[in-house]
């Protein structure tokens, strides 16, 4: 079964992923450093936005980056100049057996129909005592001012379309039970909250506008084609959501980061 990436493989999506990784680098990755010489497997590397963070923050690691999309891997190779072993493959069918000290997944599980199955199979790639780091979001944690039913409507379209595609955009809240069910030990999960208002212009631009609103806009064609919205209501929703990025507006979102170990 293929993986339906609801946001699409477009240049706009590539820019959004890069903006997101850069804006949230310290929040999401500040406490992730791997020892030099350790073998790290990044699962679902996409266009390399998070790969760049890994090699920058953990120099000297032996990194293998896997993705199912040949096109995304080509962009990742162009983005990351450090030495990385690039592998095209399905994360549910990887051949590794106890070869890695650490696994890293960022914004991957949300697109999978059976995340527990994937986590269980990935555990085989870790040596005993090796770690796994998982980062995911939760679109229901998006709170914004001014409130708007039309703005909430376009967010709900994204949530519903991702669910129809077999994913779960609310999966961040489930990381601990998912890892526990997959058999990992020592699970630690922490929320990573983003708050943006006009006093934090770098977050208003980098996160509210270029990450979250851009992510919602990426499903416009799907939402209209599926009859989930009309052109008029979609435009109203995006306009109202954009008000959260203007003076007097505010925006809040929570990511979740979990670290666990192979027993």
């Amino acid at each position: 079964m293929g993986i339906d990436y609801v946001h699409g493989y477009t240049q706009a999506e590539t820019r959004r992923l890069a903006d997101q990784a850069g804006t949230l680098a310290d929040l999401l990755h500040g406490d992730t450093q791997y020892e030099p010489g350790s073998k790290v497997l990044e699962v679902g590397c996409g266009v390399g936005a998070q790969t760049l963070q890994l090699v920058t923050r953990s120099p000297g690691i032996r990194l293998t980056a896997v993705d199912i999309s040949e096109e995304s891997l080509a962009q990742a190779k162009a983005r990351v100049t450090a030495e990385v072993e690039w592998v095209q493959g399905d994360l549910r069918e990887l051949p590794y057996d106890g070869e890695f000290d650490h696994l890293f997944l960022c914004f991957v599980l949300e697109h999978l129909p059976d995340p527990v199955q994937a986590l269980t199979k990935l555990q085989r790639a870790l040596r005993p005592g090796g770690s796994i780091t998982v980062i995911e979001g939760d679109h229901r944690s998006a709170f914004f001012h001014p409130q708007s039913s039309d703005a909430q409507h376009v967010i709900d379209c994204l949530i519903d379309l991702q669910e129809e595609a077999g994913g779960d955009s609310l999966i961040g809240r489930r990381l601990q039970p998912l890892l526990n069910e997959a058999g990992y030990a020592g699970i630690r999960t922490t929320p990573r909250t983003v708050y943006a208002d006009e006093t934090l212009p770098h977050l208003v631009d980098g996160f509210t506008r270029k990450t979250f609103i851009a992510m919602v806009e990426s499903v416009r064609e799907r939402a209209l084609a599926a009859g989930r919205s009309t052109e008029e209501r979609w435009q109203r929703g995006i306009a109202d959501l954009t008000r959260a990025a203007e003076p007097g507006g505010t925006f809040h979102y929570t990511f979740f980061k979990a670290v666990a170990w192979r027993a």
Side-chain angles (χ1 to χ4, degrees):
M1 179 187 296
I3 298 171
D4 188 352
Y5 185 65
V6 70
H7 309 300
Y9 296 94
T10 64
Q11 287 301 312
E13 176 63 5
T14 298
R15 288 193 300 272
R16 184 189 74 80
L17 293 170
D19 288 333
Q20 174 177 256
T23 301
L24 303 176
D26 289 338
L27 178 72
L28 298 183
H29 305 297
D31 54 353
T32 298
Q33 287 92 33
Y34 299 123
E35 58 275 14
S38 60
K39 297 187 68 175
V40 180
L41 176 64
E42 182 188 8
V43 181
C45 67
V47 298
Q50 313 301 330
T51 314
L52 190 59
Q53 295 297 324
L54 289 175
V55 297
T56 300
R57 293 171 183 273
S58 298
I61 60 173
R62 298 160 64 189
L63 180 61
T64 299
V66 175
D67 201 85
I68 198 169
S69 167
E70 183 177 359
E71 181 180 352
S72 293
L73 281 173
Q75 295 183 58
K77 292 175 185 178
R79 181 186 303 275
V80 181
T81 57
E83 184 175 348
V84 176
E85 180 183 358
W86 304 100
V87 177
Q88 183 182 7
D90 190 318
L91 61 86
R92 297 160 295 192
E93 301 173 359
L94 297 178
Y96 307 118
D97 188 3
E99 297 177 34
F100 293 94
D101 302 298
H102 308 286
L103 300 184
F104 181 87
L105 296 84
C106 188
F107 311 138
V108 174
L109 296 183
E110 62 171 308
H111 301 292
L112 303 181
D114 191 343
V116 171
Q117 178 195 56
L119 288 169
T120 301
K121 289 185 175 182
L122 285 171
Q123 189 165 183
R124 182 168 169 264
L126 273 177
R127 63 167 175 79
S131 79
I132 181 171
T133 297
V134 185
I135 302 172
E136 294 288 350
D138 185 331
H139 293 352
R140 291 279 185 221
S141 72
F143 304 127
F144 50 92
H145 172 78
Q147 293 188 61
S148 159
S149 59
D150 286 327
Q152 188 60 54
H153 164 73
V154 295
I155 296 172
D156 289 343
C157 284
L158 169 59
I159 293 171
D160 293 343
L161 286 168
Q162 190 156 341
E163 183 178 7
E164 288 179 3
D168 179 6
S169 64
L170 317 182
I171 201 168
R173 67 182 72 180
R174 296 201 288 138
L175 289 187
Q176 189 278 333
L178 289 174
L179 286 162
N180 185 59
E181 187 175 348
Y184 291 86
I187 306 162
R188 300 197 311 264
T189 305
T190 55
R192 308 294 171 104
T193 298
V194 183
Y195 171 79
D197 63 30
E198 62 187 294
T199 69
L200 300 163
H202 65 295
L203 290 175
V204 170
D205 186 57
F207 185 73
T208 308
R209 285 199 181 97
K210 293 182 178 178
T211 297
F212 192 84
I213 296 175
M215 176 175 59
V216 175
E217 288 185 309
S218 73
V219 300
R220 173 185 174 275
E221 295 302 326
R222 281 197 183 204
L224 297 180
R228 290 197 164 274
S229 188
T230 64
E231 181 66 42
E232 181 182 3
R233 190 173 189 194
W234 185 269
Q235 290 182 1
R236 288 202 312 267
I238 293 297
D240 283 359
L241 191 55
T242 301
R243 291 170 63 198
E246 296 172 351
T250 68
F251 193 84
H252 165 283
Y253 188 92
T254 301
F255 296 93
F256 294 86
K257 182 173 184 175
V259 180
W261 283 263
R262 179 177 177 179

